[in-house]
Amino acid sequence: MAQRVDKWLVYARFAKHRSTAAELVEGGKIRINKVRITKCSHTVKVGDVLTIAVGANIKVAKVLGEAEQRGPATLASQLYQDMTSAEKADATSEALC
């Protein structure tokens, strides 16, 4: 199954409202599998890796599941695996080489 990226961002609590998620997508702040997207209708599937840039913060998340609605934070955290620290560690080790 697949889910619209703007809905998934809200359900996973990366955005509080769907309009905010749409602004992120249309502003080019979201990448799916290293490809920048600008359409809210783009779909995410289990296994996709999202890179989310908000201000100076960059989050990297692997999609683990979908949701029907926005739920509690404990359920939202089960929708993705935070890979941000792994990406930073790889970038640091590459910079040192």
Side-chain angles (χ1 to χ4, degrees):
M1 277 183 24
Q3 187 168 42
R4 286 176 57 112
V5 66
D6 58 341
K7 286 184 175 184
W8 189 89
L9 289 168
V10 172
Y11 299 159
R13 293 182 169 244
F14 284 103
K16 190 167 186 177
H17 303 285
R18 194 162 162 195
S19 60
T20 307
E23 289 174 9
L24 287 173
V25 173
E26 292 168 356
K29 304 292 185 186
I30 307 294
R31 291 177 186 254
I32 298 177
N33 299 324
K34 298 184 181 181
V35 177
R36 182 173 288 172
I37 59 164
T38 57
K39 303 245 182 203
C40 295
S41 60
H42 195 76
T43 57
V44 293
K45 304 176 291 300
V46 173
D48 284 348
V49 176
L50 273 68
T51 306
I52 304 155
V54 180
N57 298 326
I58 297 175
K59 290 273 196 183
V60 180
K62 183 175 183 178
V63 178
L64 300 178
E66 300 175 9
E68 295 289 322
Q69 63 185 13
R70 184 179 168 108
T74 53
L75 284 176
S77 66
Q78 295 174 1
L79 297 179
Y80 64 94
Q81 175 187 357
D82 189 3
M83 299 175 63
T84 304
S85 59
E87 290 289 321
K88 285 183 180 178
D90 288 344
T92 304
S93 65
E94 287 177 12
L96 294 175
C97 294

